[in-house]
Amino acid sequence: VVIALVKTKPQLAVVSEERSLPAVVVMQATAVPMQRRTVGYGAADAMDHADIPTEISSTVVTLPPTIRAGRQLRKGDLVVELDDADYRQQLIRAEQSLASAKSALALLEVERNAADERAALAQEDALLAEAEFGRVQKAFNQGAAKQREVDAAKQKLLSVTSASINASEAANRFPAREEQTASTVVTRSAEVELAKENVRRCKVLSPIDGVLQSIDVRVGEHVNSGKQIARVVNSSTLEIPLRLPSHARAFVHIADKVALRSAGFGKRRW
């Protein structure tokens, strides 16, 4: 069987002439840097913005006709006006208290000058009484005066000396009283400035140039101190915190280029 298989095996055809090779397209590979694209999402927020709160508690009395969301505002434009009747009354009371304190200080100055003059006169009277007592005592020693004259001169000297001490004590009290009253004047002046500031705070003004994004109060509404009543944004400079996939940490770097597309109406690109 083996011999039969060997004798009957097929013979391969041998080609003696040369064969042409097939044509192929050859391209040279070159390393080219490719940018990886990552899609993220974020909300734009103005870098320069102001949440406007009230600094006092009062009732909204005026909203200017132009105060609507989307309106352009300048720094210092009126946003909301609050009722200032109570604060104006406080200002009047504070000004009256200040005037009374200043009058008391001026009166103390007059009284101090008079007390100083009385103390000086009492001191001079005491010197005269002392000189009189010396003369009477000398005359008594020489036999030219009686004992009752010496006693009368001494009694007068003691009385005048006591009056001089009292006058000096009264005059010395005035500097402390003037300092106390001057401190009261300073306190009343601070109260007047605070009352003026509260009256000024009844007019809520825009702190920056920008666009009114929202207004959160209405006429007649009572607002407490610290309540946010409006928001103004300046869209000249925007900040967009992007949320990217976690796998992008390895290849996202600072200063990489970013292409932005708005998700709202218009599909704007930056």
Side-chain angles (χ1 to χ4, degrees):
V1 174
V2 174
I3 295 173
L5 291 173
V6 171
K7 288 182 177 181
T8 59
K9 70 178 181 178
Q11 297 295 323
L12 296 175
V14 178
V15 180
S16 59
E17 58 186 19
E18 296 182 358
R19 295 180 58 187
S20 60
L21 298 176
V24 296
V25 177
V26 179
M27 299 180 65
Q28 183 178 1
T30 304
V32 177
M34 298 294 293
Q35 294 184 350
R36 186 186 297 267
R37 180 182 179 185
T38 302
V39 179
Y41 301 90
D45 190 17
M47 293 284 289
D48 189 10
H49 64 273
D51 295 324
I52 305 176
T54 56
E55 298 178 271
I56 57 173
S57 297
S58 188
T59 303
V60 178
V61 294
T62 302
L63 279 176
T66 58
I67 295 302
R68 295 291 185 271
R71 291 299 182 92
Q72 188 76 27
L73 292 179
R74 294 290 184 183
K75 182 178 180 180
D77 286 351
L78 179 65
V79 178
V80 173
E81 185 173 359
L82 304 176
D83 186 9
D84 61 355
D86 293 342
Y87 297 101
R88 289 193 178 278
Q89 292 299 321
Q90 292 178 7
L91 175 59
I92 293 174
R93 289 195 295 269
E95 289 175 342
Q96 290 176 344
S97 298
L98 176 60
S100 298
K102 288 182 177 180
S103 297
L105 184 60
L107 181 61
L108 277 178
E109 184 178 358
V110 174
E111 292 179 353
R112 178 177 58 82
N113 293 334
D116 290 340
E117 293 178 0
R118 287 193 295 268
L121 292 175
Q123 183 67 25
E124 185 176 354
D125 197 11
L127 293 175
L128 292 175
E130 185 177 1
E132 178 66 17
F133 174 73
R135 288 192 294 269
V136 173
Q137 183 67 40
K138 183 178 180 180
F140 175 78
N141 294 333
Q142 293 176 355
K146 298 181 180 180
Q147 183 63 42
R148 56 187 175 81
E149 294 177 343
V150 176
D151 294 341
K154 185 175 182 180
Q155 184 178 6
K156 181 179 179 181
L157 175 61
L158 293 176
S159 178
V160 172
T161 302
S162 177
S164 176
I165 293 174
N166 292 335
S168 298
E169 180 183 4
N172 292 334
R173 290 178 180 175
F174 277 94
R177 293 176 60 186
E178 286 182 331
E179 183 176 355
Q180 183 179 5
T181 306
S183 177
T184 302
V185 170
V186 173
T187 302
R188 297 294 182 263
S189 298
E191 292 175 353
V192 169
E193 293 302 320
L194 179 59
K196 289 180 179 179
E197 186 67 14
N198 286 336
V199 171
R200 184 195 64 79
R201 290 169 177 169
C202 289
K203 292 185 177 181
V204 183
L205 308 178
S206 174
I208 61 173
D209 295 339
V211 177
L212 183 63
Q213 181 176 354
S214 62
I215 182 75
D216 302 325
V217 292
R218 297 293 180 268
V219 174
E221 180 179 348
H222 181 80
V223 294
N224 294 321
S225 178
K227 173 182 170 60
Q228 179 177 329
I229 61 172
R231 178 179 173 87
V232 178
V233 297
N234 188 332
S235 58
S236 59
T237 305
L238 298 178
E239 178 184 28
I240 307 177
L242 291 178
R243 297 182 178 181
L244 300 174
S246 59
H247 64 79
R249 295 179 180 177
F251 49 83
V252 174
H253 304 91
I254 297 175
D256 284 351
K257 292 183 177 180
V258 177
L260 300 177
R261 184 185 67 181
S262 66
F265 177 77
K267 300 295 183 181
R268 292 179 294 175
R269 297 176 182 270
W270 295 269

